[in-house]
Amino acid sequence: MDKNDQYGRGRPRPQSRHLPRRFRLVAAAGAAGLALTAGLATPLNPAPQRASAADDGKSVLTVAVAQSVDSLSPFLAVRLLSTSIFRLTYEYLTNYDPKDNHVIPGLATKWEPSADKLTWTYTIRKDSKWSDGEQATAEDAAWTFNTMMTDDGAATANGNFVGNFKKVTAPSPTKLVIELKKPQATMTALDVPIVPKHVWEKVDDFSKFNNDKSFPVVGNGPFVLTAYKPDSYVRLKANKTFWRGAPKFDELVFRYYKDQDAAVSALRKGEVSFVSGSPSLTPAQAASLGSEKNIKVNDAPGRRFYALATNPGAKAKNGEKFGDGHPSLLDQRVRNALFMAVDRKAIIDKVFQGHAVEGAGYIPPRFSQYFWEPSAGQELAYDPAKAAKLLDEAGYRKNGDGKRVGKDGKPLNYRVLCHATDPNDKAIGKYLQEWWGDLGVGVTLNCLDNVTDPWLAGKYDLAFDGWSVNPDPDFVMSIHTCGALPATPKDTGATDNFICDKKYDELYAKQVAEYDPAKRADLVKQMESRLYDLGYMNVMAYPNAVEAYRTDQIKSITTMPSKAGNLYGQDGYWSWWSAVPADSGDSADDSSSTGVVIGIVAGVVVLAGLGAFVAMRRRSTSEDRE
């Protein structure tokens, strides 16, 4: 699940291997305050540049983003932006079809399990080369997986995929064999970038190597990473030898804007060609852009959920507790009361203004196989009167001033962690102050550029949360297992918000080992139901992917899924790989193009940062698990 910072993740994080907390916090702190350089006014570039072909005649596609790279190492990074870059620069064993998300060949052309499904054999394609000219082989894939299996640092981002691997070998350049300890349903959805062994075997410490000092970076995807400046830009060039065919744009650049209105203004001026927002455009921005000449708004069902997470009492695997979450939230009646005092319909109508649907489970309707809704008797529907009764039963009654107080006489007042860059957090936070205030509960909004530090430290009561969900639900479900907790309070685990429930873990173990699609889907739905009943997560909405781009700069580009999907943060490389420059003589490929467009821009990509809570989410997302 790509968590996008909250809004950035897209990719899975390890369930049982952990990076020291100090490393994560340093990485988050480094996300702040670096200069923006692409197309912005600076001493060396006093006037913003208009999106156009580069001076050397090369076409450059520039994407405005609101998130920073946490690492350029596929072994460490979990943010949506970083994992999206990996999709562009490395091949995975399999990919997802842009039309409907079904699994298709990637680096592997085919795969076959043994009768007991404990041994999987993959045929590696012969026509994939690394950008330095070396052949990509099964040995590269075997080395990638074995390194993750034997090195804690290398297992930081995707360790959950290999925890059940028994042995990985490459009997020949085109044959990869993976032996399992027990059945594993994710064997056709191993979202792990395969890296070149001859380059990466020179790394001494995978927990510290960020792959951001030497360029170009050797890869075998549709683009090659050629330049990077932390929290400023990332530049990629088209891989002319990519086996599926070279991208139509010569270069791809990502540019960071902390202020979303500024990014929208730059789009209007033609200084950027695509804006995705943080994680999406506001209804007002989308409406205003929709009437602009040469600008089109892409508004489609998203792959994210938007939630309010409750601190269940932060703790580590060793049993040590930490943080300062409000003890009242350990009472399920209190959690349910708070969520029954949230009017989801009002959030959809007044905040998202129809650009979302009401939420409940972890999987958005877009992934219909795993989509779950509570039964009528189970639903925590909006009911302030019942919410007040639950608080009374829990021992938190109103005093003479109308404030809810506990047995200690102290009033209930909750700190709600929110993202300063997300207008939705702020808007919904004001509604919470109103709705919960009517219950006699106080709300203090703590809106920060960097929510990572307090979140990892468990120093919050509730927090706005969100993940981008991948076609396979394993990761987004794994972040709430007991095994995802940090080993000690000093470590960083794969957990989202420290939930640990034995019954949930039992269901998780069953679903990951279940090969029957229908039976597995039922188990995933049971897990969603369990999380809903526990009340630690209130999924309020499934936001649409609301993006905008210039139609005078791109002739066509692929959405995913093709009929109604997103462009930024895809489970693949289809959008940027397929984009056709407006001034080119090429025509769109009818099999993949949707007529959506993005722009040409000279310059560098600037990435996001400033502490967005991206450090731990794969959903991602703004669109997330990727």
Side-chain angles (χ1 to χ4, degrees):
M1 145 175 133
D2 294 310
K3 189 165 188 179
N4 231 355
D5 152 33
Q6 148 191 263
Y7 297 131
R9 275 227 186 129
R11 307 205 42 74
R13 293 175 302 156
Q15 292 186 51
S16 58
R17 315 215 175 170
H18 314 279
L19 189 64
R21 179 188 300 275
R22 60 181 178 276
F23 178 82
R24 283 291 186 209
L25 298 187
V26 169
L34 294 181
L36 309 181
T37 60
L40 301 182
T42 69
L44 298 180
N45 182 22
Q49 299 174 343
R50 178 173 176 77
S52 61
D55 292 340
D56 58 4
K58 292 182 178 180
S59 57
V60 183
L61 174 65
T62 296
V63 179
V65 295
Q67 186 182 64
S68 64
V69 165
D70 49 343
S71 175
L72 288 178
S73 166
F75 296 109
L76 298 179
V78 294
R79 296 182 185 176
L80 180 62
L81 177 59
S82 305
T83 58
S84 295
I85 291 172
F86 298 152
R87 284 282 184 188
L88 297 169
T89 55
Y90 297 102
E91 277 281 45
Y92 297 44
L93 289 182
T94 59
N95 208 328
Y96 300 102
D97 191 283
K99 292 184 178 180
D100 59 9
N101 295 321
H102 77 267
V103 176
I104 60 174
L107 183 60
T109 58
K110 62 180 180 179
W111 43 90
E112 184 178 5
S114 59
D116 60 6
K117 296 186 177 180
L118 292 178
T119 300
W120 287 72
T121 302
Y122 301 81
T123 299
I124 303 302
R125 64 175 59 257
K126 299 178 181 179
D127 55 352
S128 178
K129 287 184 177 295
W130 298 110
S131 54
D132 63 0
E134 295 285 334
Q135 181 71 34
T137 69
E139 181 60 29
D140 295 306
W143 183 88
T144 298
F145 291 125
N146 278 310
T147 300
M148 293 166 59
M149 292 165 61
T150 57
D151 188 292
D152 285 352
T156 298
N158 297 305
N160 61 299
F161 284 118
V162 302
N164 182 45
F165 285 11
K166 180 179 180 181
K167 184 179 181 181
V168 182
T169 57
S172 76
T174 59
K175 185 177 182 180
L176 176 72
V177 180
I178 301 178
E179 298 178 39
L180 304 173
K181 300 172 185 176
K182 58 184 179 181
Q184 181 171 323
T186 61
M187 295 307 290
T188 59
L190 297 173
D191 293 329
V192 176
I194 303 302
V195 302
K197 175 185 176 181
H198 66 282
V199 174
W200 284 83
E201 65 183 353
K202 301 172 186 177
V203 175
D204 293 328
D205 188 343
F206 288 97
S207 70
K208 296 180 180 179
F209 182 71
N210 285 304
N211 195 33
D212 57 359
K213 304 301 181 185
S214 179
F215 299 95
V217 173
V218 178
N220 63 340
F223 289 89
V224 178
L225 180 56
T226 59
Y228 165 66
K229 183 176 182 179
D231 302 305
S232 182
Y233 64 84
V234 174
R235 184 196 295 270
L236 305 97
K237 70 176 182 179
N239 181 358
K240 301 299 184 181
T241 63
F242 183 53
W243 68 269
R244 199 185 289 273
K248 306 299 190 298
F249 277 89
D250 296 310
E251 292 188 1
L252 174 64
V253 178
F254 295 94
R255 175 182 302 172
Y256 169 66
Y257 285 86
K258 179 182 178 181
D259 185 290
Q260 189 161 298
D261 286 332
V264 170
S265 176
L267 182 72
R268 284 195 175 95
K269 298 174 184 177
E271 296 169 0
V272 299
S273 305
F274 177 91
V275 176
S276 63
S278 60
S280 63
L281 298 178
T282 66
Q285 290 169 338
S288 66
L289 289 173
S291 61
E292 292 278 343
K293 182 180 179 181
N294 297 326
I295 291 179
K296 183 175 181 179
V297 174
N298 180 47
D299 187 351
R303 55 186 286 246
R304 298 190 62 254
F305 67 76
Y306 182 79
L308 192 62
T310 300
N311 186 339
K315 63 181 177 181
K317 285 183 182 178
N318 64 3
E320 187 174 349
K321 297 179 180 180
F322 56 95
D324 58 4
H326 201 291
S328 66
L329 295 172
L330 299 179
D331 190 324
Q332 185 173 344
R333 294 170 297 182
V334 174
R335 299 193 298 271
N336 288 351
L338 293 176
F339 297 155
M340 293 179 75
V342 172
D343 188 344
R344 289 177 175 82
K345 187 177 186 304
I347 289 174
I348 301 302
D349 294 343
K350 297 180 180 180
V351 177
F352 290 101
Q353 296 181 26
H355 297 274
V357 295
E358 290 184 44
Y362 268 46
I363 313 296
R366 172 164 156 176
F367 303 106
S368 58
Q369 182 179 9
Y370 301 107
F371 177 61
W372 170 87
E373 293 180 287
S375 63
Q378 181 184 19
E379 183 182 7
L380 298 173
Y382 180 57
D383 191 338
K386 189 171 182 180
K389 183 178 180 181
L390 283 175
L391 288 177
D392 287 340
E393 293 175 358
Y396 297 94
R397 298 179 178 274
K398 286 186 176 181
N399 61 13
D401 295 327
K403 305 295 183 182
R404 294 275 173 181
V405 297
K407 294 180 180 178
D408 57 5
K410 294 182 180 179
L412 284 184
N413 186 77
Y414 296 121
R415 302 158 301 164
V416 179
L417 201 57
C418 77
H419 302 75
T421 57
D422 189 349
N424 292 329
D425 283 9
K426 296 178 181 178
I428 295 173
K430 292 187 180 298
Y431 278 109
L432 293 181
Q433 290 176 323
E434 175 186 338
W435 294 329
W436 292 357
D438 291 341
L439 281 178
V441 175
V443 174
T444 300
L445 291 179
N446 189 17
C447 296
L448 306 172
D449 286 332
N450 174 13
V451 303
T452 302
D453 291 6
W455 195 305
L456 294 180
K459 293 184 176 181
Y460 65 96
D461 297 325
L462 297 105
F464 287 102
D465 196 5
W467 286 81
S468 294
V469 178
N470 288 351
D472 189 281
D474 181 70
F475 177 79
V476 75
M477 308 310 293
S478 75
I479 59 176
H480 294 307
T481 59
C482 299
L485 294 174
T488 74
K490 294 181 179 180
D491 296 307
T492 296
T495 186
D496 181 26
N497 66 320
F498 307 103
I499 294 175
C500 178
D501 176 70
K502 183 178 179 180
K503 183 176 180 180
Y504 180 87
D505 276 17
E506 292 173 352
L507 290 169
Y508 176 79
K510 290 180 180 178
Q511 71 81 27
V512 78
E514 180 55 69
Y515 284 112
D516 183 279
K519 292 180 179 179
R520 186 180 180 218
D522 181 65
L523 287 167
V524 170
K525 291 177 182 179
Q526 289 183 49
M527 295 170 69
E528 294 182 80
S529 178
R530 178 63 178 172
L531 284 177
Y532 185 87
D533 289 342
L534 288 173
Y536 290 117
M537 292 289 290
N538 176 22
V539 177
M540 298 178 287
Y542 306 114
N544 285 6
V546 186
E547 315 159 302
Y549 48 85
R550 296 199 61 91
T551 58
D552 58 350
Q553 296 178 3
I554 290 188
K555 186 175 297 184
S556 63
I557 193 170
T558 299
T559 58
M560 184 179 186
S562 57
K563 289 185 178 180
N566 56 293
L567 292 167
Y568 178 71
Q570 293 182 352
D571 292 294
Y573 43 67
W574 311 110
S575 55
W576 317 129
W577 171 75
S578 70
V580 178
D583 60 357
S584 75
D586 295 341
S587 60
D589 181 351
D590 293 336
S591 67
S592 62
S593 173
T594 64
V596 179
V597 267
I598 295 186
I600 305 173
V601 177
V604 278
V605 189
V606 183
L607 302 157
L610 300 170
F613 170 86
V614 178
M616 299 185 70
R617 279 128 171 92
R618 173 185 173 149
R619 282 126 113 309
S620 303
T621 151
S622 76
E623 305 213 342
D624 46 342
R625 189 176 213 357
E626 274 79 345

